[in-house]
Amino acid sequence: MRQIVWIWILVLGVHTAQAYSNPAEKLLSLVKLAPEKVTRDKIISLLGNPVKIEESKKGSRWYYTYDNTKLTLQWSKRSAAVTEFSFSCNNPKICPFDRKKECKLKEGTMSMQQAVALLGPPHDMVVKSNKQIMFYNYQGNTLRLFFRNRTLVDYTLLLGQKTATLEKKK
């Protein structure tokens, strides 16, 4: 559960504060926050009130929308913690994939923080329990990174794929 909150903080940092000129810098600075200190009040203080809240028997779902970013948080009623989140960013600026960066992706040792520092914020991300998936869109290619417990398990560069979004993958 703590891992989900920690990763959520990591991704939120990209779009919540304007103090940093580089979103990756903000992302990496939020990694230092202790996940157990993240509460609904803390989220509201960082992001403000959600645009939409849906309640169900198991919990609630909070929706945030920024310029080109959508964030969805799922809260458990039992533990009052974030159980899942998804993040989507439609970046109109899509550049070619840099093969030099691919050489730096190290399966089994690279953390999510290192991946974000190398590649920048992902275009799409889903976090559930101990699994995390990040998608990066490039000109004619999509890079998929699969993490387990915040450590890179594998990655795939899908050649000839235009753009991948989580909506298409669900």
Side-chain angles (χ1 to χ4, degrees):
M1 208 54 72
R2 289 180 175 185
Q3 295 168 350
I4 291 173
V5 174
W6 180 84
I7 294 165
W8 178 78
I9 290 169
L10 194 141
V11 172
L12 281 179
V14 174
H15 299 282
T16 57
Q18 302 300 323
Y20 291 85
S21 59
N22 182 353
E25 286 177 25
K26 180 60 180 169
L27 229 146
L28 294 174
S29 73
L30 288 175
V31 170
K32 297 174 186 172
L33 290 179
E36 58 273 5
K37 292 184 180 178
V38 176
T39 62
R40 292 178 187 228
D41 291 337
K42 180 73 172 178
I43 298 305
I44 290 173
S45 71
L46 286 172
L47 303 172
N49 290 318
V51 175
K52 180 180 172 184
I53 297 176
E54 291 178 355
E55 296 288 338
S56 69
K57 290 180 182 179
K58 293 183 180 181
S60 61
R61 195 175 286 246
W62 290 12
Y63 297 92
Y64 288 91
T65 304
Y66 300 100
D67 295 332
N68 60 351
T69 304
K70 294 178 184 176
L71 176 69
T72 304
L73 297 159
Q74 189 164 334
W75 296 87
S76 168
K77 277 193 179 176
R78 185 179 307 163
S79 66
V82 175
T83 58
E84 175 185 336
F85 80 89
S86 62
F87 167 88
S88 176
C89 178
N90 296 323
N91 187 353
K93 224 178 181 184
I94 297 178
C95 58
F97 181 65
D98 184 359
R99 292 284 181 175
K100 292 177 186 174
K101 289 183 180 180
E102 182 179 10
C103 297
K104 295 178 182 179
L105 295 172
K106 302 293 181 199
E107 296 169 334
T109 59
M110 181 174 253
S111 68
M112 291 187 70
Q113 307 93 302
Q114 292 168 327
V116 171
L118 175 67
L119 302 169
H123 290 102
D124 293 305
M125 179 180 214
V126 173
V127 176
K128 293 181 182 182
S129 187
N130 63 350
K131 296 186 284 187
Q132 304 84 36
I133 302 173
M134 298 185 340
F135 293 97
Y136 290 88
N137 295 328
Y138 297 99
Q139 287 177 349
N141 303 315
T142 298
L143 177 64
R144 180 190 71 59
L145 303 173
F146 178 76
F147 295 84
R148 186 169 286 124
N149 297 324
R150 299 184 318 245
T151 302
L152 183 63
V153 174
D154 70 21
Y155 66 92
T156 306
L157 182 62
L158 304 168
L159 301 173
Q161 298 286 323
K162 296 266 180 175
T163 56
T165 63
L166 295 174
E167 290 79 27
K168 293 179 185 176
K169 303 243 181 267
K170 288 183 181 177

